[in-house]
Amino acid sequence: MATLTVPSSVPSVADDCDQLRKAFQGWGTNEALIISILAHRDAAQRRAIRRAYADTYGEELLRSITDEISGDFERAVILWTLDPAERDAVLANEVARKWHPGSRVLVEIACTRGPAQLFAVRQAYHERFKRSLEEDVAAHATGDFRKLLVPLISAYRYEGPEVNTRLAHSEAKILHEKIQHKAYGDDEIIRILTTRSKTQLIATFNRYNDEYGHPINKDLKADPKDEFLATLRAIIRCFCCPDRYFEKVIRLAIAGMGTDENSLTRIITTRAEVDLKLVKEAYQKRNSVPLERAVAGDTSGDYERMLLALLGQEQ
């Protein structure tokens, strides 16, 4: 499901560090060499490179990258080079500090990562920012958003396959009643969405569809401009069909007059080692255009080449 391509024969960590150092030195930066190495190493390999680079040259690899490249290319390389948990912590911090109702990044992180991964994100947040993700979200989000997002990013959900069908039936009924009364921020809705396992929630949403004749998200479109309703729909889509959720984020990022580079970079760097192949298939099915072609049409230069490498395009 990942699009990351790692060579069958990978050079030693020392060789990779040496080549990266050479890419940064001299009259000009060798961006192609940076891409050829970092865009084709998995998380464990990139972690080893960062450690060895700092030990060998007395400088953090990320600092060398920042000193030599800039713009969207720099952001893509930096985010990709970070450990997945540290990357999510950085993304979460950015949106928590500049939080606005239209942001879905915290939902993505909370609902498409496993419980151990989300716990690792919170640990990385502690280490990097010397405070908790929960307190930053609570400090900046307001109203029903705060009530929903704090327990959402604090959750440690059960990850097993077991489903309680009676519970699915009863909680589908609770959700329907609250939605019919437009009590979207009700404690019961928030309790169900922020505590139940993924498999239990999917069973509940399926029961909702069976009982009431349409998907729950259809009932959450009463006001298309309501950002809280949009957040609830995003939570459900992230649990039920993350590939289609991410496809839509990418599609909106590259549609229209301008490109939303931050969203495009975020999805590609966070999913390349996970399920970006499924996202590519969803994009092709929805738009009848390969994602690589769409990205190439909306980006340029080293930034384009970095994204295409992560998408698995052969050089």
Side-chain angles (χ1 to χ4, degrees):
M1 293 191 295
T3 55
L4 171 66
T5 57
V6 177
S8 55
S9 178
V10 178
S12 70
V13 173
D15 284 345
D16 276 347
C17 289
D18 180 59
Q19 290 300 304
L20 285 169
R21 192 67 173 178
K22 289 177 180 177
F24 300 140
Q25 293 180 327
W27 288 102
T29 305
N30 189 336
E31 292 87 353
L33 184 55
I34 295 171
I35 295 170
S36 72
I37 297 171
L38 292 178
H40 297 283
R41 302 293 185 269
D42 63 27
Q45 292 165 336
R46 299 194 306 275
R47 190 181 309 122
I49 290 170
R50 283 180 65 187
R51 189 182 304 117
Y53 189 94
D55 291 343
T56 303
Y57 303 109
E59 181 177 77
E60 236 293 336
L61 175 60
L62 300 182
R63 172 58 64 86
S64 294
I65 292 171
T66 300
D67 287 346
E68 294 298 326
I69 62 178
S70 60
D72 295 321
F73 177 48
E74 175 197 353
R75 180 170 174 82
V77 174
I78 291 289
L79 284 177
W80 174 248
T81 305
L82 289 169
D83 262 1
E86 190 179 7
R87 179 197 304 135
D88 281 346
V90 168
L91 292 169
N93 178 258
E94 289 175 353
V95 299
R97 287 186 298 105
K98 300 178 181 179
W99 183 84
H100 61 91
S103 174
R104 310 281 181 261
V105 178
L106 292 174
V107 168
E108 288 176 16
I109 293 171
C111 300
T112 65
R113 279 52 161 177
Q117 292 171 321
L118 182 55
F119 184 72
V121 173
R122 295 199 296 270
Q123 287 181 308
Y125 201 99
H126 290 177
E127 180 66 26
R128 190 177 183 97
F129 302 108
K130 310 307 177 188
R131 55 187 182 273
S132 75
L133 173 56
E134 295 91 330
E135 66 182 299
D136 276 356
V137 173
H140 296 283
T142 58
D144 284 341
F145 287 97
R146 178 194 291 163
K147 198 165 100 173
L148 172 66
L149 291 173
V150 171
L152 194 71
I153 53 97
S154 305
Y156 195 94
R157 300 173 192 266
Y158 174 65
E159 205 172 14
E162 289 79 9
V163 169
N164 184 324
T165 54
R166 292 179 63 184
L167 184 65
H169 175 77
S170 65
E171 293 194 334
K173 183 178 180 181
I174 290 170
L175 290 171
H176 185 258
E177 288 175 351
K178 299 301 181 183
I179 291 171
Q180 291 304 299
H181 288 93
K182 301 187 185 303
Y184 305 118
D186 188 90
D187 288 349
E188 285 293 271
I189 290 182
I190 291 174
R191 175 188 64 80
I192 293 167
L193 293 181
T194 61
T195 64
R196 298 302 183 198
S197 71
K198 177 179 178 177
T199 51
Q200 185 65 42
L201 283 173
I202 291 174
T204 299
F205 301 147
N206 287 339
R207 186 71 185 196
Y208 191 105
N209 190 28
D210 293 342
E211 286 286 322
Y212 306 108
H214 50 264
I216 184 172
N217 268 2
K218 185 174 181 179
D219 282 342
L220 291 172
K221 290 183 178 178
D223 182 356
K225 296 182 180 179
D226 188 318
E227 293 291 1
F228 189 74
L229 290 184
T231 300
L232 294 178
R233 294 195 303 272
I235 291 171
I236 293 166
R237 286 177 65 83
C238 281
F239 280 122
C240 294
C241 47
D243 54 334
R244 286 162 52 199
Y245 169 84
F246 289 125
E247 180 279 324
K248 184 176 182 180
V249 175
I250 290 177
R251 173 163 37 92
L252 294 178
I254 57 183
M257 295 297 292
T259 305
D260 179 358
E261 288 88 359
N262 279 347
S263 293
L264 182 61
T265 301
R266 183 182 77 251
I267 302 305
I268 291 179
T269 57
T270 59
R271 308 316 292 180
E273 286 183 277
V274 186
D275 58 0
L276 193 53
K277 189 172 291 186
L278 295 178
V279 179
K280 285 172 58 176
E281 291 171 0
Y283 191 93
Q284 173 80 48
K285 183 176 180 180
R286 173 66 172 73
N287 304 282
S288 301
V289 174
L291 181 54
E292 292 92 337
R293 187 190 304 171
V295 169
D298 255 55
T299 59
S300 61
D302 296 313
Y303 176 56
E304 173 193 346
R305 286 184 278 276
M306 181 68 182
L307 296 187
L308 292 179
L310 294 179
L311 282 165
Q313 184 176 90
E314 295 185 5
Q315 300 300 307

